[in-house]
Amino acid sequence: MNSASLVARFVDRHIGPRNAEIDTMLRALGATSLEALGNEAVPAAIRFNGLLDLPAAKTEAEALAALEVLAAKNQVFRSYIGTGYHDCFTPPVIQRNILENPGWYTQYTPYQAEISQGRLEALVNFQQMVMDLTGLDVAGASLLDEGTAAGEAMQMLADVCELQDADTFFVASNCHPQTIAILETRARPRGFKIVVGDPQTFAFGDKVFGALLQYPGTDGQVVDYRAFIERAHAARAHVAMACDLLALTLLTPPGELGADVALGSSQRFGVPMGYGGPHAAFFATRNEHTRKMPGRLIGVSKDAQGKRAYRMSLQTREQHIRREKATSNICTAQVLLAVMASMYAVYHGPAGLTGIALQVAQLASTLRAALLRKGLAVASGAVFDTLRIDASAEQIASFHEEAGKRRMNLRVLSPTSLCVALDETTTNQDVADLAAVFGAQIAESGEPLAGLPAALRRTSAFLTHAVFSSHHSETEMLRYIRQLESRDLSLTHSMIALGSCTMKLNATAEMMPITWPAWCKLHPFIPQEQALGYKEIFGQLEAALAAITGFPGVSLQPNAGSQGELAGLLVIREYHEKRGQGHRNLCLIPTSAHGTNPASAVMAGYQVVLVKCDDQGNVDLVDLGEKAQKHEANLAALMITYPSTHGVFEEEIRSICTTIHKHGGQVYMDGANLNALVGLARPGDFGADVCHINLHKTFCIPHGGGGPGMGPIACAAHLAPYLPGHPLVKMGGEQSLGTISAAPWGSADILLISWAYIAMMGPEGLRRATQVAILNANYIAQRLDPHFPVVYKGGKGRVAHECIVDLRAFKKSAGVEVEDVAKRLMDYGFHAPTMSFPIPGTLMIEPTESESLSELDRFCEALINIRHEIAAIEEGKQPQQGNVLKGAPHTAEVLLSDEWTKPYSRHQAAYPLPWVKVRKFWPFVGRIDNVFGDRNFVCACPPIESYENA
C-alpha cells in the first residue's frame, strides 16, 4: 500500500494507535495479534467470523461527495406547517462557535462539575430563561422533545396526585397530534386512561389526576385557560401546559394562569428543524414538585474557597440511583441544543425576543386581513403565528396544490381546513406569496397588529438578569461563548476515559453535513417526496445496523438511549399481548445491567426482579435459573447489558438467552457497550431478541455536554411488526406499539453522523476499531493492575473494552476516597473515568479505539503518580487531611494567592508530572460543596447584586 492510499483511509485517522504502537501494546500483553487478543477476550461461542455485509469504506472526500448527492434529492420548500416545528435563524456566532465547535460538542455530561463550569452556566441561563418565560418556580436543564416531555409531565402528575385510584389523564384535542400519540403509547403500560376532548366541556371526576393543554393550540388558537385550571384544582387534579417560548414573550405565562407544569420545545430559539431534531425540550414546575421533576437540574453551590460554582443538583432523584423506584428513565438532557437556545436568548435579550415575536404576530395579522378581505373563513379569536382556514374539500385541495406549485408546504388539518404557521424567517414577500395561494393580496400600507385579549397580554418582565443584557454585540457574544468554553474540559484537551460512555473521536467530516441547509432546514412533516435524500440515508443506515446487529428489524425513531430502552421493552410487551400472553409483566435484570434498565422496565409496566452476579462479575446462572423458573408464568423479559457493565463478556450468554426463552420470555440486550462487539459478534446471532443502539457512543454522534443522543432499536423478525409508528407519517411495523418520539425518525439530522462514520470505516474498519478498543482497554488494565487492582476479568484474564479498577482499600489505608482521585486527575488535565458505578469505590475506564499510545501512557502515568501520592499519605509523609488529593482540584487563583500553608508545594499541586506543564488545563473552581448545593437549592441565575459584590 502506498503512502497516498494510506492517508486516504479514514480508519487510519479514526483509530489512535499507529501500527507500530499496536505492536508495542500487543507485546506488552503477550498477544501475537489483534485477532488473537480478540479471541482471548470474546467467547468462542459468540464470535462472528465473517465480514459485515456493508459497502467498502469511503474516503472522507467520497463520503462528503455522496452526502452532497443525497442532499440534492431533498427539496427545501418554504414550510408553514407549524405543529411545534418552525424555521428559524441561527445566529452565525452561535452556529460557528457552539454547534460547529468541538470544544462544545465533545464535552461529556457534567458529572465532574469543576471542569464543566462553562456549559453549567449556560444551562443555568437556559433554566432562568424557561422560568422567566413560563412564570414558574423551577426549570430543568432540558428534555428530549415536546412530546416526550408531555409524557414525563403525565407521569409526574400521576406521582404527585393525592387522589386514591386516580387513573385518568385529560388531553385537550387541540394538542399536537404527535404529542397525543406519545401520551397514548406511554399511558397503556402504566394503566392510565387518556381522554381527549374539549377543555370547555370536560367534566372532572375523582379519577382524573391531571390534564394537558396546548398554548397556543395546534390550530393557532390562543385560549384563556384560567377557568379550566381552577376547575381542575378544585377537583384536586394538576394541569400541564405545552407552550411556545416565543409566544410567551407576548402572552400571559402559564404560571400566572395557574398551571402546575409548563413544557415545550426550545427549537425555534435558533436551533434548525433538522427534519425532526435534535432539539431541547423544556420543563418547568412549582417548587413543591422539584424532587419529582424528570431530567437534570443544574444548581448553584460554592467551592472550597467560597466561590460561586454550578453543579448537577438533587442527583438522588435520578434513575441511576433510584433504579426500579424511578418514575422516569431520562438519564441525559439535550445540552448542546439547550446551550444554543440559551445563547439565542442571551444574544437577543428580552427586547430582541419580543421584537421577533411582534414581527411574526404582525405578519400573521397582515395575512389574516388579506384572507378575510378575500372572503375566506379564517378562524376567529386570538392567534399568535398560526391561522386556520376553513373551506370546502375542493377548495382546500386546490389551495394545497397551488402552494405546492409555489414550493410551499401548508398543513392540512382536515379535508375542510388547513393551517398556515409563520416564523422569524418569514418576510413580507413570503406573506404576499402565501396570500396569492388563496387568491388574495396583502395591503400595501400594512395592517394594524390584531390585538391579543387584554386578559392574555403579558405584563410581567422577563430575562432581567444581567447576562441577558450584556452580550448583544457580536464581539461581546463571541467573548462570552469563548469564556465559557475555556472553563470546560473536552476531547479537544485530553482523553475522556468514561466506562460505558465511549467518548471517542467525533470526526469533523462526520459533523460537517448537519448544518447544510438541504439537511437541517427540512420540517419533519413535509411530504416524503421532498425528503428523498433522507429516505436513502434512513434505508442505508437501517441496513447497516441490521448487518452489524444481526437483526432484520430496525427503528430509527427513539431519540435517546432511554427511549430506545423503552421502545425495545414495549415491542416485547406488544408481542406478548398479540399472542394472548399480556399477563406477562415481570422483567429480570442482573445487578450488572446498565443503570437506566430498571427505570425503563417500570415505565414499560413491568415488575422488576434483580438477578445476582457471581464473584467474577458474571450473571449467577443458578439464581437466574431459579428466578426464571419461579416466575415462569409471568416472565416477560430479561434485560442484560452485553458486554456487562462489569467490563467482561459473559461466557454463558447463549445459555442465559436459552434459559429465558425456555420459560417464555424475550431477551432485551442493552447496547451501551456495543463498541466491544461490532464486527466481532452480533446480538442477533447469540440469542437476544431486541437491542437498542447508542449512536452517541459506538457510532460517533458526539455527547455534546450531555446530549444529543440517538437510541435506535434493532430486533428479530418476530418482533419487527411492532416497531414504532407515527400519526402523521406512514412508517413502522404493521402492528406498531405506538409512537416513541415526536418526530418520525427522531433526531434525523444527526443520523448523518453515524451514516458517515459507518460509510468511511467500512466493514474492515469497524472490525478493527472494535479490536483496538479491546486492545487499549487491556493495555490500560495491565499497566494499572499493579497499582489499582482490576476487579473483573474474563476467563482468559482479559477484559472487554473497559475495565474497573479498585480504590476501596485506600479509604482505610490513607483516608482517600474515589472522589479525591477523580478531583486530583483534573490537576493532571484529565476527566475522571466513571466513578463508583457499578461498584462503589471504583473507577470504570474505557479508553476507546481513538486514543494513541502516548495518550494512554499519559493517563496511566497520571493515575500511577496519584498512587504514589496516596502512598505518601500511607507512609505518614503527608497528612490524611489537607494533602494534595484532598486539596484538588487546584485553581490558578488558589495557587497564586499570597499565602500558602499547605503541606505540599505549589509546583506539586499544579505540575505533578513534567508533561502537565505543556498540557495544563486549569479548573475554573475548586472542590465543589455538593451538600451545600442540595441544602440551599437554587437553579436560577444569581441576582444582579452578586455580580456587583463579585
Side-chain angles (χ1 to χ4, degrees), residues 824 827-828 865 869 884 890 894-896 900 902-918 920 922:
R824 181 59 173 150
D827 290 329
Y828 291 79
N865 204 56
E869 293 172 341
V884 72
H890 297 85
V894 166
L895 291 164
L896 291 172
W900 185 263
K902 301 182 186 297
Y904 51 90
S905 69
R906 298 176 200 252
H907 189 274
Q908 182 188 357
Y911 303 118
L913 288 171
W915 50 260
V916 178
K917 291 182 179 180
V918 295
K920 185 65 181 175
W922 291 101

Short mmCIF file of all heavy atoms in Angstrom, two decimals, residues 824 827-828 865 869 884 890 894-896 900 902-918 920 922:
data_model
loop_
_atom_site.label_atom_id
_atom_site.label_comp_id
_atom_site.label_asym_id
_atom_site.label_seq_id
_atom_site.Cartn_x
_atom_site.Cartn_y
_atom_site.Cartn_z
N ARG A 824 -8.28 14.92 41.78
CA ARG A 824 -6.85 15.09 41.54
C ARG A 824 -6.50 14.89 40.07
O ARG A 824 -5.59 15.56 39.55
CB ARG A 824 -6.06 14.12 42.43
CG ARG A 824 -4.54 14.22 42.28
CD ARG A 824 -4.00 15.60 42.62
NE ARG A 824 -2.53 15.62 42.63
CZ ARG A 824 -1.79 16.68 42.34
NH1 ARG A 824 -2.37 17.84 42.01
NH2 ARG A 824 -0.47 16.61 42.38
N ASP A 827 -6.07 18.00 38.00
CA ASP A 827 -4.80 18.72 38.04
C ASP A 827 -3.83 18.20 36.99
O ASP A 827 -2.89 18.90 36.59
CB ASP A 827 -4.17 18.61 39.43
CG ASP A 827 -4.93 19.40 40.49
OD1 ASP A 827 -5.53 20.43 40.15
OD2 ASP A 827 -4.93 18.96 41.66
N TYR A 828 -4.02 16.95 36.56
CA TYR A 828 -3.19 16.36 35.50
C TYR A 828 -3.77 16.63 34.12
O TYR A 828 -3.21 16.22 33.10
CB TYR A 828 -3.07 14.85 35.71
CG TYR A 828 -2.27 14.43 36.91
CD1 TYR A 828 -2.82 14.46 38.20
CD2 TYR A 828 -0.96 13.96 36.78
CE1 TYR A 828 -2.09 14.04 39.31
CE2 TYR A 828 -0.23 13.55 37.89
CZ TYR A 828 -0.80 13.59 39.15
OH TYR A 828 -0.08 13.17 40.24
N ASN A 865 1.05 8.02 39.28
CA ASN A 865 1.63 9.06 40.13
C ASN A 865 0.70 9.41 41.29
O ASN A 865 1.15 9.68 42.41
CB ASN A 865 1.95 10.31 39.31
CG ASN A 865 3.05 11.15 39.95
OD1 ASN A 865 4.13 10.65 40.21
ND2 ASN A 865 2.75 12.41 40.21
N GLU A 869 1.22 9.40 45.37
CA GLU A 869 0.77 10.44 46.30
C GLU A 869 -0.04 9.82 47.44
O GLU A 869 0.03 10.28 48.59
CB GLU A 869 -0.05 11.50 45.55
CG GLU A 869 0.80 12.31 44.58
CD GLU A 869 -0.02 13.24 43.68
OE1 GLU A 869 -1.24 13.02 43.55
OE2 GLU A 869 0.56 14.17 43.12
N VAL A 884 -2.50 16.66 49.07
CA VAL A 884 -2.69 17.17 47.71
C VAL A 884 -3.95 16.60 47.05
O VAL A 884 -4.57 17.26 46.21
CB VAL A 884 -1.43 16.89 46.87
CG1 VAL A 884 -1.31 15.40 46.52
CG2 VAL A 884 -1.42 17.74 45.60
N HIS A 890 -6.83 22.16 41.99
CA HIS A 890 -6.19 23.42 42.37
C HIS A 890 -6.38 24.44 41.27
O HIS A 890 -5.97 24.21 40.12
CB HIS A 890 -4.70 23.19 42.63
CG HIS A 890 -4.43 22.27 43.79
ND1 HIS A 890 -4.42 20.89 43.65
CD2 HIS A 890 -4.18 22.53 45.09
CE1 HIS A 890 -4.16 20.33 44.82
NE2 HIS A 890 -4.02 21.30 45.72
N VAL A 894 -6.06 29.92 43.49
CA VAL A 894 -5.54 29.40 44.76
C VAL A 894 -4.02 29.36 44.74
O VAL A 894 -3.35 29.75 45.70
CB VAL A 894 -6.12 27.99 45.02
CG1 VAL A 894 -5.34 27.27 46.11
CG2 VAL A 894 -7.59 28.07 45.38
N LEU A 895 -3.45 28.91 43.63
CA LEU A 895 -2.00 28.76 43.55
C LEU A 895 -1.27 30.10 43.50
O LEU A 895 -0.09 30.18 43.84
CB LEU A 895 -1.64 27.92 42.32
CG LEU A 895 -2.04 26.45 42.44
CD1 LEU A 895 -2.02 25.77 41.08
CD2 LEU A 895 -1.13 25.71 43.40
N LEU A 896 -1.97 31.15 43.09
CA LEU A 896 -1.35 32.48 43.01
C LEU A 896 -1.64 33.33 44.25
O LEU A 896 -1.26 34.49 44.29
CB LEU A 896 -1.83 33.20 41.75
CG LEU A 896 -1.33 32.62 40.42
CD1 LEU A 896 -2.02 33.29 39.24
CD2 LEU A 896 0.18 32.78 40.30
N TRP A 900 0.46 30.52 51.41
CA TRP A 900 0.48 29.10 51.06
C TRP A 900 0.92 28.33 52.29
O TRP A 900 2.08 28.34 52.67
CB TRP A 900 1.43 28.84 49.90
CG TRP A 900 1.38 27.40 49.44
CD1 TRP A 900 2.22 26.39 49.78
CD2 TRP A 900 0.41 26.82 48.56
NE1 TRP A 900 1.85 25.21 49.16
CE2 TRP A 900 0.73 25.45 48.40
CE3 TRP A 900 -0.70 27.33 47.88
CZ2 TRP A 900 -0.02 24.59 47.60
CZ3 TRP A 900 -1.44 26.47 47.09
CH2 TRP A 900 -1.11 25.12 46.95
N LYS A 902 -0.11 24.97 52.81
CA LYS A 902 -0.37 23.54 52.62
C LYS A 902 0.91 22.73 52.77
O LYS A 902 2.01 23.23 52.53
CB LYS A 902 -1.02 23.31 51.25
CG LYS A 902 -2.34 24.06 51.07
CD LYS A 902 -2.97 23.78 49.73
CE LYS A 902 -4.22 24.64 49.51
NZ LYS A 902 -5.27 24.35 50.47
N PRO A 903 0.81 21.44 53.14
CA PRO A 903 2.00 20.60 53.37
C PRO A 903 2.62 20.05 52.09
O PRO A 903 3.38 19.09 52.13
CB PRO A 903 1.44 19.47 54.24
CG PRO A 903 0.03 19.35 53.83
CD PRO A 903 -0.44 20.74 53.51
N TYR A 904 2.29 20.61 50.96
CA TYR A 904 2.88 20.24 49.68
C TYR A 904 3.12 21.51 48.89
O TYR A 904 2.55 22.57 49.18
CB TYR A 904 1.97 19.28 48.91
CG TYR A 904 0.53 19.75 48.76
CD1 TYR A 904 0.13 20.52 47.67
CD2 TYR A 904 -0.43 19.44 49.73
CE1 TYR A 904 -1.19 20.96 47.54
CE2 TYR A 904 -1.74 19.87 49.61
CZ TYR A 904 -2.12 20.63 48.52
OH TYR A 904 -3.41 21.07 48.40
N SER A 905 3.96 21.44 47.89
CA SER A 905 4.36 22.65 47.17
C SER A 905 3.33 23.05 46.13
O SER A 905 2.54 22.22 45.66
CB SER A 905 5.70 22.43 46.48
OG SER A 905 5.56 21.51 45.41
N ARG A 906 3.37 24.31 45.77
CA ARG A 906 2.52 24.78 44.67
C ARG A 906 2.86 24.03 43.38
O ARG A 906 1.98 23.71 42.59
CB ARG A 906 2.74 26.29 44.45
CG ARG A 906 2.39 27.18 45.61
CD ARG A 906 2.75 28.63 45.25
NE ARG A 906 2.90 29.48 46.43
CZ ARG A 906 2.03 30.41 46.80
NH1 ARG A 906 0.94 30.61 46.11
NH2 ARG A 906 2.27 31.16 47.85
N HIS A 907 4.15 23.75 43.18
CA HIS A 907 4.57 23.08 41.97
C HIS A 907 3.98 21.68 41.89
O HIS A 907 3.48 21.24 40.85
CB HIS A 907 6.11 23.00 41.92
CG HIS A 907 6.62 22.51 40.59
ND1 HIS A 907 6.76 21.18 40.29
CD2 HIS A 907 7.03 23.20 39.49
CE1 HIS A 907 7.22 21.06 39.06
NE2 HIS A 907 7.40 22.26 38.55
N GLN A 908 4.00 20.95 43.02
CA GLN A 908 3.40 19.61 43.01
C GLN A 908 1.90 19.69 42.74
O GLN A 908 1.35 18.85 42.02
CB GLN A 908 3.63 18.90 44.35
CG GLN A 908 3.05 17.49 44.37
CD GLN A 908 3.10 16.82 45.72
OE1 GLN A 908 3.61 17.38 46.69
NE2 GLN A 908 2.55 15.61 45.82
N ALA A 909 1.25 20.70 43.28
CA ALA A 909 -0.19 20.86 43.07
C ALA A 909 -0.51 21.11 41.60
O ALA A 909 -1.42 20.49 41.03
CB ALA A 909 -0.72 22.00 43.92
N ALA A 910 0.27 21.99 40.96
CA ALA A 910 -0.06 22.42 39.60
C ALA A 910 0.56 21.55 38.52
O ALA A 910 -0.07 21.27 37.50
CB ALA A 910 0.39 23.87 39.39
N TYR A 911 1.81 21.10 38.74
CA TYR A 911 2.55 20.40 37.70
C TYR A 911 3.12 19.09 38.25
O TYR A 911 4.34 18.92 38.38
CB TYR A 911 3.68 21.27 37.16
CG TYR A 911 3.21 22.60 36.61
CD1 TYR A 911 3.63 23.80 37.18
CD2 TYR A 911 2.32 22.65 35.54
CE1 TYR A 911 3.20 25.02 36.67
CE2 TYR A 911 1.88 23.85 35.03
CZ TYR A 911 2.31 25.04 35.59
OH TYR A 911 1.88 26.24 35.10
N PRO A 912 2.26 18.12 38.56
CA PRO A 912 2.73 16.89 39.22
C PRO A 912 3.61 16.02 38.33
O PRO A 912 4.36 15.19 38.85
CB PRO A 912 1.43 16.18 39.58
CG PRO A 912 0.40 16.74 38.65
CD PRO A 912 0.79 18.14 38.41
N LEU A 913 3.54 16.17 37.01
CA LEU A 913 4.41 15.47 36.08
C LEU A 913 4.90 16.47 35.03
O LEU A 913 4.19 17.44 34.71
CB LEU A 913 3.66 14.31 35.40
CG LEU A 913 3.36 13.08 36.28
CD1 LEU A 913 2.43 12.12 35.57
CD2 LEU A 913 4.65 12.38 36.71
N PRO A 914 6.10 16.24 34.47
CA PRO A 914 6.67 17.25 33.55
C PRO A 914 5.77 17.63 32.39
O PRO A 914 5.68 18.81 32.03
CB PRO A 914 7.97 16.57 33.07
CG PRO A 914 8.33 15.62 34.17
CD PRO A 914 7.03 15.13 34.73
N TRP A 915 5.11 16.63 31.77
CA TRP A 915 4.31 16.94 30.58
C TRP A 915 3.07 17.77 30.88
O TRP A 915 2.45 18.34 29.98
CB TRP A 915 3.93 15.67 29.82
CG TRP A 915 3.33 14.56 30.63
CD1 TRP A 915 3.97 13.45 31.10
CD2 TRP A 915 1.96 14.45 31.09
NE1 TRP A 915 3.10 12.64 31.80
CE2 TRP A 915 1.86 13.23 31.81
CE3 TRP A 915 0.82 15.24 30.95
CZ2 TRP A 915 0.67 12.80 32.39
CZ3 TRP A 915 -0.37 14.82 31.52
CH2 TRP A 915 -0.44 13.61 32.25
N VAL A 916 2.68 17.86 32.16
CA VAL A 916 1.50 18.67 32.51
C VAL A 916 1.74 20.14 32.18
O VAL A 916 0.81 20.88 31.83
CB VAL A 916 1.13 18.48 34.00
CG1 VAL A 916 -0.06 19.37 34.38
CG2 VAL A 916 0.81 17.02 34.29
N LYS A 917 3.01 20.57 32.24
CA LYS A 917 3.31 21.99 32.01
C LYS A 917 2.88 22.45 30.62
O LYS A 917 2.47 23.60 30.45
CB LYS A 917 4.81 22.24 32.19
CG LYS A 917 5.29 22.10 33.63
CD LYS A 917 6.77 22.40 33.75
CE LYS A 917 7.24 22.27 35.19
NZ LYS A 917 8.69 22.57 35.34
N VAL A 918 2.98 21.58 29.64
CA VAL A 918 2.63 21.98 28.28
C VAL A 918 1.20 21.59 27.90
O VAL A 918 0.75 21.92 26.81
CB VAL A 918 3.62 21.38 27.25
CG1 VAL A 918 5.02 21.94 27.47
CG2 VAL A 918 3.64 19.85 27.33
N LYS A 920 -1.46 21.92 30.36
CA LYS A 920 -2.20 22.27 31.56
C LYS A 920 -3.61 22.76 31.24
O LYS A 920 -3.81 23.64 30.40
CB LYS A 920 -1.46 23.35 32.35
CG LYS A 920 -2.10 23.71 33.68
CD LYS A 920 -2.08 22.54 34.64
CE LYS A 920 -2.75 22.87 35.98
NZ LYS A 920 -2.82 21.69 36.86
N TRP A 922 -6.68 24.40 33.42
CA TRP A 922 -6.92 24.99 34.74
C TRP A 922 -8.40 24.89 35.11
O TRP A 922 -9.24 25.48 34.44
CB TRP A 922 -6.50 26.46 34.75
CG TRP A 922 -5.02 26.66 34.67
CD1 TRP A 922 -4.30 27.00 33.57
CD2 TRP A 922 -4.09 26.51 35.74
NE1 TRP A 922 -2.97 27.08 33.88
CE2 TRP A 922 -2.81 26.79 35.21
CE3 TRP A 922 -4.22 26.18 37.09
CZ2 TRP A 922 -1.66 26.74 35.98
CZ3 TRP A 922 -3.06 26.13 37.87
CH2 TRP A 922 -1.81 26.42 37.31
#
